Amino acid sequence: MGSKSLSAKNLAWGALAVALAIEPACSKSTATSGLDLQIVVGSNVDTLQIASLEFYLDELSGAPGLFAVSNLVPQNQLLGGVNYAQTTEDADGDAKFELLFKVAQNVFLTTNALTVSLLGNALSTQFKIVARVKNASGTVIGFGESAATNFASPVAAVTVNVCANGVCAGSDAGADAGSDAGSDAGSDAGADAGADAGSDAGADAGADAGADAGEGPFDAGPAKSWGTAVGIENLANDSGFPRVGLDSQGNAVVVWRYDAPGAYQIQSSRYTYDAGTSGQWADASVVPLPASGSEALYPALAVSPAGRAYTVYRFNHTGPPGMNIWGNVAEASGNWDASVNFIGNFSPDQAGHPVIAMNANDTGFVVAEGDSDASVTNRILATAISSGSWDTTAINIETSTPQSAFGPSVAVTDAGVGVAVWQKKAAANEPITVVYNRFAAGGWGTTTAFPSNTFGDAGQSAIAASLGGVFVVAWPAYLTDRYALYATWSTNSAASGSWAIPSRIDSDNAAGQNSEKVSLAVDPNGNAIAVWRQWSGTVWNVWANRFTTADGGTWGTAEQIETVGRHADQPMVAIGANGRAVAVWGHDNGGGTYTDIWANAYIPQIGWGSAIRINTGEVLSINPQVAVDPGGNAVVVWQVNTGVFDVMANVYR
């Protein structure tokens, strides 16, 4: 069996849904549902040390069979950062499955429920389920095993006893008989026979050949492809500036600005994924505004894993209080609530260009530009959202008094730690720099510059964060003759001021060949992808680079991810919990008469694919936005000029 593929092709499969419970001190726990793999960590298991859960089918009798993981749902933020499911076979021919986690503080899982379907083609084979948890060093710190079962008549639930610290009556500290603790017979701890710890034979430790250290084999799953671009609204006037977000099941929410007669509105639509169809877009609906006859501008959007949507925007009253930031919430199964003015206490200040970041616990932040004299933007205003409730009192988190402050972006971890970054010009004779402020322990700190930030003027910055607390920031900085791209990163515990020295992440471009318009995305494990556009001397191309937390945090080598040979603009990237990413951008047609929307997908340990055009027709298509669900499925939206501007979408799954 060790040489056989784990593919399900042309096989008759039985199915078994398994429930595991990790309990302290050998206390037993019977699963309540045969569909739930329940991971419950007892109080005497140090969750700070848990790096992975490993379980496998230990064949006891009967003909050898093939086994595979059919699905792993949900692979999303609710699980505290599941990386992937690894399917291998040990030296005895037993199928082994491993789920890797990056644990944040005291939080192991925020849901305690994970559905895993096991498939097998040897229906009469008797086996037991063996489970163990390991720390980052591969040492087993919890162990358990089920009673014997089979696929022909599987039990509805399997009771598994997992004990703290590798001690369980009648078991050898989490190991198979005759093998080292936590390892298969004859192999290193946690590894297959003949392979380095955590790797396939012949690969570097923890990685396939060519992959970053610290990453195990990646199951890319079924091949994904793009659908056909469709219009998601049929309104009479111009629609533009769409924003999109996905929940954990691949359902989408889109908001955009609509030029209604007499005023700008915010419109919205929902996409509902259906495994049996291509999904369904709902009719467009109006997001309730605070007043009629006024303008709503610059919508921003965040969608929680459960499908709750938050939108914020600048609302221009025709009279007092002037331009303030308002927002609305929509439950997954309902309509938008009434609007709330939560950055209005600075009136008569003007506020604009809001951004929003939310975590899986419905906690997050709204940050916007503000001004003190209606003539210059020199404040960065912020307010919090806690458990879905708006805080309507904003504060100025730009704690100095600069000549100008603008271009904010914000990110938040599952622990509720937030970091906002923006550009700041301290005085007329000072360069534009990138600064940040951090929210922790219930309050914001002080405006702080990044270390060794001695470059010239900084361009628009971007920030993204992992669930566990890795923040990554990137921005273009002017050298003596070009803009180059720099990035820094910090962990949750160090975000108060200990950031890595900014390093250059673009290619070594020549004089005048600028890098700009960077977009960032970070997966739950802290690995990041940056995309940007870079001038070749002839055209603007789209480039990318990847950051991994292995070896203390390192960037790879920048690579061009399209070779269309025409000007590219507005690159965007989003990433799923399994590390799969999708980048989108616009390309002109070479004659300047219209633009197309293009995309490329990144798969861990495989890399970028081939760029592909995802729109149709020869029309002006601009402002692409992308969101990716935990499994790497994506929804892209953009606006297209068909006589009036409409909102289009395409789905990748």
Side-chain angles (χ1 to χ4, degrees), residues 1 4 59-67 93-94 120-127 150-151:
M1 179 177 171
K4 294 181 180 180
E59 294 177 15
L60 302 176
S61 65
L66 302 181
F67 302 99
D94 298 326
N121 72 325
L123 302 186
S124 62
T125 298
Q126 291 288 111
F127 58 85
N150 59 56
F151 285 109

Side-chain angles (χ1 to χ4, degrees), residues 287-289 309-313 326-330 336-340 390:
V287 176
L289 299 179
Y310 300 81
T311 186
V312 294
Y313 45 87
W326 291 68
N328 303 70
V329 180
W336 291 94
D337 294 341
S339 57
V340 175
W390 303 98

Side-chain angles (χ1 to χ4, degrees), residues 472-569:
V472 182
V473 181
W475 67 93
Y478 190 72
L479 305 181
T480 57
D481 53 11
R482 80 205 75 170
Y483 276 93
L485 198 62
Y486 285 83
T488 182
W489 72 287
S490 172
T491 62
N492 184 25
S493 61
S496 60
S498 180
W499 294 77
I501 300 298
S503 59
R504 187 169 175 183
I505 67 171
D506 61 347
S507 68
D508 190 11
N509 47 354
Q513 295 183 5
N514 296 329
S515 296
E516 61 178 29
K517 298 188 178 181
V518 62
S519 174
L520 272 178
V522 178
D523 71 20
N525 303 307
N527 304 310
I529 288 180
V531 299
W532 65 93
R533 76 170 191 169
Q534 186 168 319
W535 180 249
S536 70
T538 305
V539 296
W540 289 101
N541 297 122
V542 178
W543 287 70
N545 202 340
R546 185 167 183 260
F547 169 86
T548 65
T549 54
D551 299 325
T554 56
W555 286 93
T557 301
E559 59 180 310
Q560 189 174 323
I561 63 172
E562 54 80 26
T563 56
V564 177
R566 305 194 300 267
H567 291 308
D569 200 5

